[in-house]
Each structure stands twice: as structure tokens, then as C-alpha cells.
Amino acid sequence: MIFLLLLLSLPIITILFFQAKNHKHATNLQPPGPPGLPFIGNLHQFDGQSPHTYLRRLSNKHGPVMSLKLGFRPVVVISSADAVKEIMKSHDAVFSSRPLLVSLQRLTYNCLDVAFSPYNDVWREMRKISTIHLFSAKQVQSSLPIFEDEVRKMMAKIARDASSSSVVNLSETMMSLSSNSICRVAFGKTYGDEGYGKNRFFDLLHEMQSILGGLLCGGLLALVSMD
């Protein structure tokens, strides 16, 4: 019985040993920060309701550059304008890449889009094409009448509902405005009318929100799988 317990606890002891060893080795390479627990790091301390207040308290204690550990994911928090300038301007190429998270790979076809693709030659070429052909000032101005028309329709609908003393669901109204504007710009049609198209599009939006909500879990799973 004792031998069986030792055999079952051996993997846990091994993981804790290597984690403590790696943590000790990396201590001198990381900024200061609050101590965490094995496996979960600082997740139990993080204030999800007021993260800005929590991070401000930590920066007052540990300095403008500090480190946290959210599960297996190490995080560096910057709260100094000078440090942000060093990262975003002086050493931007070093910090320009993005982590390959499971949820993002599912959402963006293995991170083939501009927003979440790793920093490489392909990303630079996609950014160049997007800047010239999609996000230029001329292209944005050409889409302005669409946005104005959708806002005008939204205001008219709110006015009709107000005149009939109907309750206006602002969340659904703003979602409809965003969806119709994006679809008209990207696909040349709107999903404002009732029907399968609108329902299918809203289903996709809700599914995307669920996937984005799993960014942290996806990161943890990716790191666990790599280990």
C-alpha cells in the first residue's frame, strides 16, 4: 500500500521539483512580483472585478515593471511610460510576436490573420497589403456613408420604440449596428432583417465571444501540451 502511494505521488513530486528548480533559475531574470502558488501562480490573488486597481497596488509595491504568473503563463506588467516606450518603440521587434493559443488557433484558422499571426515575413506582408488596400484613408472614407446610414436607421428604430413606449434593448441594438455595419462593408449586404442569415451571424458572434473568453485557458492548455 505504501509503495503504491509513493508510486502515485512520484509524478507530482517530480513536477514540483522541476517547477521549483526552474523558478529558482529564472528568479534573477524576471522583474519583482508577488509570490504565487504552484500550478495556479497568482490566479487566486488576481482581482477580476477591478484589475486596474489591483495592478496599481502591486506597482506601488513592486515597481513600474513587475511579473505575475497566471497559471503556467508568466506575465510582465508595465505601468511606466518610459518602460512602455522602451518596449513599443526602442525594442518593438522583440515584443511584436503573439503567443500561439489554442483558442486563437481555432478562431483564426491556425493564426493566419493579421491580428494574431506571429511576427514574421508573412505578417509584415499581410500588414502592408491591409494598410494599403483595406485601412487607407480613402477606403475608410468610402465606407463612411454606410456607417452614417446604419446609425440613422438605429436612431429611427429607437425613436419608433420610444414613441410606442416600447423597451429598447441597447445591447441588442448596438450588436445589430455593429453587425450590419461590418457586414455591409465586408460583404455588401446586411443581416438586419429577420431570418436565417441574422440568426446564423449572431450565433457565430456568440461562439466567437465564448472562444475569446477562453484565451487564458487556451494558453494554459498550450503550455501544458508543450511541457
Side-chain angles (χ1 to χ4, degrees), residues 2 15 21 29 32 56 60 73 82 90-91 110 117 141 154 163 177 180 185 188 195 208 213 221-223:
I2 297 177
I15 293 174
K21 184 178 179 180
L29 304 178
R56 184 189 64 186
N60 292 335
R73 171 71 65 181
D82 294 334
S90 303
H91 303 284
N110 203 22
S117 173
Q141 287 296 326
M154 181 190 70
S163 62
L177 171 65
N180 291 334
V185 172
M208 182 184 70
L221 290 174
L223 288 175

Side-chain angles (χ1 to χ4, degrees), residues 148-162 173-174 177:
E148 293 177 343
D149 183 51
E150 289 300 326
V151 171
R152 187 162 42 246
K153 291 179 180 178
M154 181 190 70
M155 297 303 296
K157 183 180 182 303
I158 294 176
R160 289 194 303 269
D161 293 339
T173 301
M174 296 306 298
L177 171 65

Side-chain angles (χ1 to χ4, degrees), residues 154-220:
M154 181 190 70
M155 297 303 296
K157 183 180 182 303
I158 294 176
R160 289 194 303 269
D161 293 339
S163 62
S164 61
S165 300
S166 300
V167 177
V168 178
N169 189 328
L170 289 179
S171 298
E172 182 178 344
T173 301
M174 296 306 298
M175 176 70 77
S176 179
L177 171 65
S178 302
S179 303
N180 291 334
S181 300
I182 293 172
C183 288
R184 286 186 62 182
V185 172
F187 310 123
K189 64 170 103 174
T190 177
Y191 285 88
D193 298 331
E194 295 292 337
Y196 173 78
K198 178 181 178 181
N199 295 332
R200 175 58 177 158
F201 189 73
F202 282 169
D203 290 341
L204 290 175
L205 286 179
H206 290 308
E207 183 179 356
M208 182 184 70
Q209 291 175 352
S210 300
I211 294 175
L212 291 176
L215 286 179
L216 179 60
C217 295
L220 297 180

Side-chain angles (χ1 to χ4, degrees), residues 40-158:
I40 65 174
N42 303 105
L43 281 176
H44 66 294
Q45 303 167 338
F46 195 83
D47 186 2
Q49 299 295 327
S50 303
H52 57 288
T53 304
Y54 170 73
L55 294 176
R56 184 189 64 186
R57 291 199 307 266
L58 288 182
S59 64
N60 292 335
K61 181 178 180 180
H62 299 285
V65 181
M66 59 183 177
S67 62
L68 298 174
K69 203 165 186 183
L70 304 180
F72 289 94
R73 171 71 65 181
V75 177
V76 176
V77 181
I78 308 297
S79 57
S80 167
D82 294 334
V84 171
K85 183 179 179 180
E86 285 288 323
I87 293 174
M88 303 298 293
K89 187 175 181 180
S90 303
H91 303 284
D92 58 325
V94 178
F95 298 95
S96 293
S97 193
R98 299 136 183 98
L100 294 175
L101 305 181
V102 174
S103 54
L104 292 181
Q105 289 176 318
R106 179 186 174 189
L107 181 65
T108 61
Y109 297 95
N110 203 22
C111 296
L112 294 179
D113 68 329
V114 179
F116 299 107
S117 173
Y119 182 78
N120 49 32
D121 294 336
V122 176
W123 179 84
R124 285 192 290 269
E125 186 65 24
M126 287 194 299
R127 184 188 65 172
K128 180 180 178 181
I129 295 174
S130 300
T131 302
I132 296 175
H133 298 287
L134 296 179
F135 305 132
S136 64
K138 181 180 179 180
Q139 187 67 28
V140 173
Q141 287 296 326
S142 66
S143 303
L144 184 60
I146 295 177
F147 297 132
E148 293 177 343
D149 183 51
E150 289 300 326
V151 171
R152 187 162 42 246
K153 291 179 180 178
M154 181 190 70
M155 297 303 296
K157 183 180 182 303
I158 294 176

